[in-house]
Structures are given as C-alpha cells and as structure tokens.
C-alpha cells in the first residue's frame, strides 16, 4: 500500500521518491523529467480534467502520475483510437488538457452524455462494453485498492 500512499503527496515530494532505476529497462530519468514538465503544466491550471493518451509509456506514466499527484480527474485514452472514439472520449470526459502525440484538439466533441464534469481524484478508465460504444469506468484509489485486494485474495498472491 506504500506505493499508493506516495501518490497522495505533493508533486515535489513524489518526484523525490522516484529512484531513477525503478522502471524495468531504461526510462527512470526520463520519467522524472517528464513528470516535472507535466507538473509544471498543471501548476498553471489548478485542477484541470486531463486526458492522457500518450503512445510512449514513459510519457504516459509521467502524465498519469502528475495528474494523480495534483488531484486532477484523469482519463486514460488509447493513442490508437480513431476519430469516432476520440469524439466519444471528448464528449464524455470534456478534458481541459489533452496529453497525446496526436492532434486531438481539432476533433469536435459530440454532445455530452455525462450529468456533470469528472470530480477531482477520479480516474476514468475506458471500456467498450458489449455495445461497442466507448464508456469510462470511474475509479478512485479506494476502488483500485479494493480490486487489488480481491485479485490478491482470489489468486493467493502477495
């Protein structure tokens, strides 16, 4: 549970806890740099809703961690989504910031289907469901930790 607790720290405290060799392979130093860059962007916004759809795993992780550390609602996106999925994601999430390699801002969202904007601390994880329409499951650290506990119990692993 200690790994999750560190995400609730201020971004500067979280950065100090990044060992440069904790990622398998290379990338720890790049993660720290990208995290600093994303944290600096967020400091100008307050608590924006962020959509992270980076193809590069280090930049994706840096954006996700920075948004979580700042308490922002963060939606996970797929960088390979086509125009239709992007429109659906924009309509559902209504992000203030989009972190991706692609040009999402030129995609006009459809009308929103959510009753309100995502709340601080929410993690929105995409699912296609059986309908084929894009949806987002709303998670918090508590719901993710409950899922981890259930997984550990079911499979008998630490």
């Amino acid at each position: 549970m200690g790994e999750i607790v560190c995400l609730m720290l201020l971004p500067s405290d979280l950065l100090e806890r990044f060992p440069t060799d904790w990622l398998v392979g290379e990338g720890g130093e790049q993660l720290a740099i990208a995290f600093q860059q994303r944290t600096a962007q967020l400091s100008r916004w307050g608590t924006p809703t962020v959509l992270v759809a980076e193809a590069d795993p280090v930049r994706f992780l840096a954006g996700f961690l920075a948004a979580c550390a700042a308490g922002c609602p963060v939606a996970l996106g797929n960088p390979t989504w086509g125009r239709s999925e992007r429109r659906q994601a924009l309509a559902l999430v209504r992000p203030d910031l989009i972190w991706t390699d692609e040009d999402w801002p030129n995609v006009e969202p459809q009308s929103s289907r959510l009753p309100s904007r995502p709340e601080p601390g929410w993690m929105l994880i995409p699912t296609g469901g059986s309908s084929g329409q894009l949806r987002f499951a709303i998670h918090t650290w508590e719901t993710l930790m409950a899922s981890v506990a259930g997984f550990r119990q079911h499979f008998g692993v630490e």
Side-chain angles (χ1 to χ4, degrees):
M1 175 127 18
E3 296 82 16
I4 299 302
V5 173
C6 77
L7 289 175
M8 301 304 170
L9 299 172
L10 295 174
S12 59
D13 293 335
L14 180 58
L15 184 60
E16 290 172 12
R17 291 180 180 233
F18 276 157
T20 57
D21 62 351
W22 73 278
L23 290 176
V24 175
E26 298 181 21
E29 189 173 321
Q30 292 91 342
L31 175 63
I33 292 167
F35 177 83
Q36 284 180 319
Q37 292 169 340
R38 293 303 191 201
T39 300
Q41 279 184 293
L42 290 173
S43 70
R44 295 187 293 268
W45 278 85
T47 318
T49 298
V50 180
L51 176 69
V52 181
E54 296 273 6
D56 178 79
V58 172
R59 287 197 316 264
F60 181 93
L61 184 57
F64 175 74
L65 291 174
C68 287
C72 298
V74 59
L76 306 182
N78 184 336
T80 65
W81 278 338
R83 190 170 185 83
S84 174
E85 291 90 355
R86 291 177 186 194
R87 273 196 194 116
Q88 291 176 55
L90 290 174
L92 289 168
V93 176
R94 292 180 277 170
D96 300 305
L97 286 174
I98 302 170
W99 290 334
T100 184
D101 300 327
E102 300 293 323
D103 189 17
W104 281 48
N106 291 334
V107 178
E108 290 298 319
Q110 299 167 342
S111 61
S112 177
R113 293 183 292 253
L114 286 183
S116 63
R117 290 185 51 82
E119 294 185 19
W122 280 7
M123 287 168 264
L124 306 167
I125 301 174
T127 176
S130 58
S131 70
Q133 292 295 310
L134 184 65
R135 297 180 187 164
F136 283 89
I138 299 169
H139 287 279
T140 63
W141 285 116
E142 291 78 20
T143 63
L144 291 179
M145 290 307 296
S147 179
V148 169
F151 177 89
R152 290 173 57 195
Q153 181 180 0
H154 179 78
F155 290 103
V157 295
E158 292 296 318

